[in-house]
Amino acid sequence: MEIVAVIISTLTMIITAVALGFTVTSFKKQLQLNFFADYTKRYQEIILNFPESINEQDFDLEKLPEDQRDRTLRNMRAYFDLCSEEYFLWREGNIDDKTWAEWESGIKFAFSKPAFQQAWQRLRLDTIYYGEFTEFVNGAIYQEST
């Protein structure tokens, strides 16, 4: 009888441990999905406020009317801040390499466009981003221009 009680107790502990592990894994996955959704939402809000011509190769920030140029620069600053956060999270190991690879390719693609290069050059005059991120962006721009 005592052996049966020990077996039942052991099985109960194993089932509880497995259930707890499953719960923690599910919770972690849900947090990651919420986190990713939040960054995706922020990204969409930013890009929806860019002028329609933002992706054109002949885009010239200086040719925009002043109010539109100011709005565009404000949204560019928000985009660069978002990218900086994403880069920092990856460097600190808070996001996985697969997620970072997606974000990195999007950032590099954005910086291949004249609008983003122009805004980066202009905003760097009054905004300081930490060194590693600045090197990453400058490398992305240089890589695209060679």
Side-chain angles (χ1 to χ4, degrees), residues 20-22 59 66 90 125:
L20 182 60
F22 177 76
F59 181 89
E66 185 177 356
W90 172 69
L125 300 175

Side-chain angles (χ1 to χ4, degrees), residues 4-120:
V4 173
V6 169
I7 291 172
I8 290 175
S9 291
T10 303
L11 286 174
T12 302
M13 287 185 347
I14 291 171
I15 291 170
T16 302
V18 169
L20 182 60
F22 177 76
T23 301
V24 168
T25 301
S26 295
F27 183 70
K28 184 179 176 183
K29 191 171 191 167
Q30 186 61 44
L31 282 176
Q32 288 172 331
L33 288 172
N34 289 344
F35 175 79
F36 190 79
D38 179 56
Y39 272 78
T40 301
K41 181 180 178 190
R42 287 173 60 196
Y43 171 76
Q44 288 176 336
E45 289 172 355
I46 293 166
I47 64 166
L48 286 173
N49 288 298
F50 285 145
E52 193 61 35
S53 61
I54 200 82
N55 294 315
E56 296 175 8
Q57 286 300 312
D58 63 347
F59 181 89
D60 188 346
L61 188 60
E62 297 305 318
K63 290 184 180 178
L64 293 175
E66 185 177 356
D67 63 325
Q68 189 177 20
R69 182 176 54 243
D70 290 347
R71 227 178 7 262
T72 300
L73 285 169
R74 202 168 26 259
N75 283 295
M76 283 289 188
R77 188 183 316 273
Y79 176 71
F80 298 158
D81 289 348
L82 179 68
C83 294
S84 175
E85 289 173 34
E86 292 170 347
Y87 183 83
F88 179 79
L89 289 168
W90 172 69
R91 295 287 295 164
E92 292 296 308
N94 294 316
I95 59 168
D96 59 38
D97 288 339
K98 186 176 178 182
T99 301
W100 170 246
E102 288 295 319
W103 287 352
E104 180 184 28
S105 67
I107 293 168
K108 287 181 175 180
F109 182 68
F111 276 102
S112 72
K113 300 173 185 178
F116 290 81
Q117 294 173 11
Q118 292 166 23
W120 178 253

